[in-house]
Amino acid sequence: MKMKLLFALLAAVVTLPAHAALNVLACEPEWGALAQELGGDKVKVANATTALQDPHRIEARPSLIARARNAELLVCTGAELEIGWLPILLRESGNPLIQPGQPGNFEATRYVPLLEKPQRLDRSEGDIHAAGNPHIQTDPRNIGLVADALSKTLAAVDAANAAYYQARHAEFKTRWSAAISRWEAQAAPLKGAAVVVQHQAYPYLENWLGLKQIAALEPKPGVEPSVASLTAVLTKLKITPAKMVIRSAYNDSRASEWLAQRAGIPAVELPFTVGGTPGATNLYGLFDDTVNRLLKAVKP
Amino acid sequence: MKRTLIASGILMMLSTSAHAADDLQTIRSEIEQMKTSYEARIQALEARLAKAEAAARQADNKAEQASQAAAVAAQPAPSRENAFNPAISLILAGTASHSSLSPSTYSIGGFVPSGGEVAPNPRGFSLGESELAISANADPDFRGNFVLAMAPDNTVGIENAFIQTLGLGHGLTASAGRFYSGIGYLNSIHAHAWDFTDAPLVYKSFLGNQYADDGVQMTWLAPTESLLVELGAEIGSGRSFPATTRDKNGSIAGALYVHVGGDYDESNSWRAGVSYLGAGPQNRSYADELNGVPTSNSFSGKSQTWIGDFVWKWAPNGNATVRNFKLQGEYMRRNETGDLSCSGGACTNVPGAYQSTQSGWYLQGVYQFMPHWRAGLRHDRLDSGSTDFGAGLNPADFPILAAYNPSRNTVMFDYSPSEFSRFRMQYARDESRSTAADNQFALQYIMSLGAHGAHTF
């Protein structure tokens, strides 16, 4: 009797998802958006984090474990960005499809040359990543490289729709390279602009647009800026002035506002990923808004 | 005068124009020469430009190929022997504590002593438990986890040593070895990740601090979309309180639990659970004292513990970096029936029936009000409930079991310079003993070295 009740209860709770679309769990919104671009209506995408959350400091929440259990494809940044929570999700999901080494475990940083590989691996350097800086999504050319690889993975995981993914990828590639040329043309006035960043999150953006990073507010990656470290940056700016101080949508605004006021430069909040600002509704919006906000800051 | 001037002017002009005719010729020829030479040069330049463009195009192609090659090369290839090394981490902890009563006389009034390290920290400076953890995937199907606990008294114990499947499919995970039971909320969390320096009173009195067993565990996740529904079952050797190991085939203790959890919205997440721990302890003995004469009491029978737990976490937009709040509480109820015997001293040494129903709970809240800084408050309460002794027993032979409702209030502040280090200050007014209240102060550090530990909910 008790058993029957238990099963009845389970049946009530369990809603078996209709197996129509490929279940994709994206660790960050940019990869969720990319999977949606490439997968169209053949995929069902859920994001594990939002643009307002620090992807380094997520916990393996119950809802995430539940989502990982049904995922057929996991799309993450990799390079240890999710090391604080993804291992638990994988461990507790009971899901063989998305374990490391399986086709359903996709790491974007494997397909992009990484910058800032640390010379010294030591925690005294802060929260550094051995493989290099993982914030690759701020350069649209990287998104293109990841799209090439992700479309192949989609085709491998869901072979029945391989042709569909291929076609969507070809279309995306054309539109994306046109968009890159447009952004590059728009962003020409940004070349050589000196910037301060809050977190070491923008080497790829700087590399792409030719921005020059003067300083970072965090004294070490992942270490919250203190008044002492901010004062040091302010002193540095007196010798080498910067045009603006950049932070991501999820960053606490106080540090950059502090510096902006004292150095007399604009504090620029960038979406960092899809959903970070009202304008960054998809991948195109992400870069439209990023370039716009940067241009606004350098205008005299 | 004017005329001569004009005439001479005209003459001059004429003469220059005669000269000019010659000059024009030479200039023309020079221009012609220049033209041809420039044309040649321009052509040469154009040719060079075309060449350069072609080269640039080639270079571009090459660069693209190179970047693609680099991208391929960027895929981490385990080339070194030690690339297969497991993740190793070491926890270092230490405490300085001050208490008004000696921890050596600690007992929880009304409750059978649970064994384990339930007493408050030793007075003065003491090393906390150092914990060495090693874990890695064994192969595509299994992972292993090993945690060695080095106690301050130089004894070494194996805290965890288990293997676990990596996705059996259908949401199933199986583990075998020594592990912390999945019952309750705090039980499976290692002590260094607790929000206070010690365990809640319910954990001390009902589970001997933390329930671990040698056995097997099976968990199943329901295929729900975003609501976590987890069922777990364990059977084991009953190596720790409230069970006892026995010379018996099969299992001595078992546990069942259900966890349900999810997101209320982007800022709020929760988890709730119900657990059951059943055991058949035999000769579970403890020392008591009657009129100054030590006695030894032992219990054999059936022990059943029910646990209800919940945890609620809030962080603005789910971003816990600056501010966050965590509320957690657990309720435990234990029913024991069997025989309790007493021997030594004034004890009659007559086994008699024993039946008890006891309960307790704690509620705690921890608030991070700015980066690095947290403050917490915890309230503990136990109810020694009803204890029935059979006709053969004399209740006066069991002074520890005299009815009493222990309680404790704890306040804590901690500062974490980074994710890997923490300093904590804690004060507790502990009324566990029926005789007097104990004021406990503790200063603690916890550091985590090596592999990046993951953040459980």
Side-chain angles (χ1 to χ4, degrees):
Chain A
M1 183 59 211
K2 261 188 187 164
M3 269 310 211
K4 257 189 191 166
L5 240 162
L6 193 73
F7 278 113
L9 202 81
L10 276 177
V13 169
V14 173
T15 45
L16 284 163
H19 207 89
L22 185 77
N23 256 324
V24 179
L25 178 63
C27 287
E28 291 83 20
E30 65 268 21
W31 308 131
L34 185 62
Q36 196 69 67
E37 289 280 354
L38 299 174
D41 51 14
K42 303 280 185 224
V43 297
K44 197 172 139 214
V45 180
N47 292 326
T49 59
T50 73
L52 299 181
Q53 297 171 349
D54 183 343
H56 309 85
R57 301 196 192 179
I58 297 296
E59 281 181 348
R61 293 199 310 278
S63 60
L64 295 185
I65 295 173
R67 287 199 187 282
R69 189 252 194 253
N70 294 319
E72 292 160 287
L73 173 62
L74 185 73
V75 186
C76 295
T77 299
E80 297 185 348
L81 178 66
E82 300 96 351
I83 197 167
W85 48 285
L86 193 55
I88 297 190
L89 288 196
L90 292 172
R91 207 181 298 155
E92 303 214 339
S93 66
N95 182 351
L97 300 175
I98 56 167
Q99 298 298 323
Q102 297 298 318
N105 183 303
F106 182 90
E107 286 190 342
T109 45
R110 293 174 62 125
Y111 305 98
V112 172
L114 295 188
L115 301 174
E116 295 187 344
K117 285 191 187 163
Q119 298 295 307
R120 220 163 70 85
L121 271 183
D122 190 315
R123 281 270 159 73
S124 65
E125 301 293 316
D127 198 3
I128 49 171
H129 303 273
N133 193 311
H135 306 298
I136 54 170
Q137 82 283 5
T138 54
D139 181 344
R141 297 170 302 179
N142 287 343
I143 303 264
L145 288 174
V146 175
D148 297 344
L150 184 57
S151 65
K152 283 189 194 119
T153 299
L154 280 168
V157 172
D158 183 14
N161 293 314
Y164 176 83
Y165 297 129
Q166 235 162 16
R168 280 197 75 100
H169 175 233
E171 193 199 347
F172 173 76
K173 210 170 173 175
T174 321
R175 281 209 299 154
W176 194 246
S177 32
I180 291 178
S181 315
R182 191 180 79 232
W183 292 318
E184 282 175 353
Q186 281 173 350
L190 292 168
K191 199 151 204 146
V195 298
V196 178
V197 297
Q198 178 147 344
H199 173 65
Q200 198 63 26
Y202 291 97
Y204 299 93
L205 180 78
E206 290 157 6
N207 185 36
W208 175 47
L209 297 180
L211 301 173
K212 246 173 63 199
Q213 184 183 316
I214 304 287
L217 299 187
E218 288 182 355
K220 299 270 166 78
V223 178
E224 291 290 326
S226 62
V227 174
S229 67
L230 289 176
T231 312
V233 174
L234 191 62
T235 316
K236 198 171 178 185
L237 287 190
K238 287 201 175 115
I239 305 157
T240 3
K243 291 268 191 201
M244 61 186 111
V245 49
I246 295 172
R247 68 164 184 272
S248 307
Y250 72 81
N251 284 142
D252 186 21
S253 62
R254 283 176 297 184
S256 53
E257 297 294 349
W258 186 98
L259 186 83
Q261 261 176 24
R262 281 160 183 81
I265 54 174
V268 182
E269 184 184 280
L270 294 185
F272 189 56
T273 178
V274 175
T277 55
T281 47
N282 58 20
L283 286 171
Y284 295 95
L286 169 62
F287 290 99
D288 280 338
D289 203 33
T290 300
V291 170
N292 273 342
R293 282 166 181 254
L294 290 171
L295 284 171
K296 223 180 187 177
V298 291
K299 256 189 202 140
Chain B
M1 184 58 202
K2 258 186 187 170
R3 274 193 193 157
T4 50
L5 246 171
I6 292 170
S8 66
I10 288 170
L11 263 175
M12 269 174 74
M13 271 172 73
L14 275 176
S15 70
T16 46
S17 72
H19 275 287
D22 277 2
D23 282 354
L24 273 176
Q25 202 52 47
T26 49
I27 287 169
R28 271 202 197 105
S29 65
E30 268 174 25
I31 286 174
E32 206 58 39
Q33 276 175 9
M34 272 167 80
K35 239 188 182 172
T36 46
S37 103
Y38 274 114
E39 258 164 26
R41 274 199 220 171
I42 285 167
Q43 271 169 7
L45 279 172
E46 273 174 357
R48 271 172 66 188
L49 183 65
K51 241 186 187 172
E53 270 176 358
R57 228 174 287 130
Q58 261 184 352
D60 263 2
N61 288 344
K62 267 187 195 156
E64 202 169 304
Q65 282 165 4
S67 85
Q68 276 166 3
V72 173
Q75 300 193 20
S79 53
R80 310 175 312 274
E81 195 182 0
N82 66 359
F84 282 107
N85 275 352
I88 299 176
S89 73
L90 179 69
I91 306 292
L92 292 177
T95 325
S97 73
H98 177 279
S99 57
S100 52
L101 301 175
S102 168
S104 64
T105 64
Y106 183 78
S107 73
I108 299 176
F111 287 79
V112 170
S114 60
E117 300 138 5
V118 298
N121 295 308
R123 285 164 149 177
F125 292 101
S126 68
L127 188 62
E129 210 167 65
S130 309
E131 219 180 82
L132 181 68
I134 300 172
S135 69
N137 290 346
D139 60 19
D141 300 318
F142 297 98
R143 74 180 277 268
N145 184 21
F146 178 76
V147 181
L148 206 60
M150 283 147 287
D153 60 0
N154 295 339
T155 54
V156 175
I158 296 171
E159 204 161 85
N160 287 172
F162 63 85
I163 58 161
Q164 194 174 41
T165 59
L166 288 171
L168 283 179
H170 311 290
L172 290 167
T173 304
S175 306
R178 177 173 298 179
F179 48 84
Y180 282 137
S181 170
I183 55 172
Y185 171 69
L186 206 55
N187 193 71
S188 54
I189 297 174
H190 284 262
H192 63 84
W194 293 349
D195 293 323
F196 293 84
T197 63
D198 49 4
L201 290 185
V202 278
Y203 273 87
K204 293 187 180 205
S205 54
F206 291 103
L207 301 175
N209 236 18
Q210 218 169 354
Y211 185 71
D213 205 356
D214 295 356
V216 292
Q217 182 194 56
M218 194 85 192
T219 61
W220 178 72
L221 287 185
T224 48
E225 195 157 300
S226 65
L227 180 79
L228 173 88
V229 179
E230 183 188 36
L231 301 186
E234 294 165 4
I235 48 172
S237 69
R239 55 174 284 275
S240 65
F241 187 87
T244 55
T245 45
R246 275 155 69 178
D247 184 14
K248 176 180 173 253
N249 292 321
S251 83
I252 309 293
L256 285 171
Y257 55 85
V258 183
H259 293 145
V260 182
D263 293 342
Y264 172 74
D265 58 20
E266 224 154 68
S267 305
N268 294 281
S269 314
W270 59 278
R271 202 195 86 170
V274 175
S275 318
Y276 168 79
L277 174 64
Q282 199 165 46
N283 296 324
R284 191 182 71 200
S285 56
Y286 70 95
D288 203 340
E289 195 173 270
L290 188 62
N291 305 325
V293 185
T295 63
S296 172
N297 304 335
S298 91
F299 172 78
S300 299
K302 206 163 89 173
S303 171
Q304 294 174 297
T305 309
W306 286 90
I307 306 172
D309 66 271
F310 81 92
V311 55
W312 186 285
K313 292 191 186 185
W314 168 86
N317 296 311
N319 186 1
T321 343
V322 179
R323 277 183 309 144
N324 62 74
F325 180 68
K326 175 172 158 192
L327 183 71
Q328 83 186 54
E330 293 183 67
Y331 171 81
M332 293 191 197
R333 186 180 186 84
R334 181 176 63 200
N335 193 346
E336 292 197 321
T337 49
D339 301 315
L340 188 65
S341 71
C342 164
S343 62
C347 270
T348 52
N349 204 11
V350 176
Y354 170 83
Q355 197 273 327
S356 77
T357 304
Q358 305 184 305
S359 63
W361 56 271
Y362 76 92
L363 182 68
Q364 70 181 51
V366 175
Y367 181 49
Q368 180 179 313
F369 49 96
M370 57 187 279
H372 309 304
W373 291 92
R374 306 190 310 161
L377 204 61
R378 176 178 66 186
H379 179 71
D380 284 287
R381 189 161 284 271
L382 297 178
D383 180 357
S384 67
S386 62
T387 308
D388 285 340
F389 293 102
L393 290 175
N394 177 10
D397 293 343
F398 305 98
I400 286 183
L401 299 184
Y404 180 65
N405 294 339
S407 71
R408 183 175 64 170
N409 284 308
T410 314
V411 58
M412 125 5 227
F413 275 100
D414 67 22
Y415 168 65
S416 310
S418 78
E419 214 183 300
F420 307 103
S421 60
R422 174 164 287 167
F423 296 93
R424 179 180 291 148
M425 199 168 71
Q426 178 174 316
Y427 164 72
R429 185 169 168 85
D430 187 349
E431 292 175 24
S432 297
R433 299 169 173 92
S434 52
T435 46
D438 188 12
N439 290 309
Q440 302 159 352
F441 295 91
L443 285 169
Q444 188 189 27
Y445 67 80
I446 303 165
M447 308 261 160
S448 139
L449 285 63
H452 195 306
H455 319 152
T456 49
F457 180 75

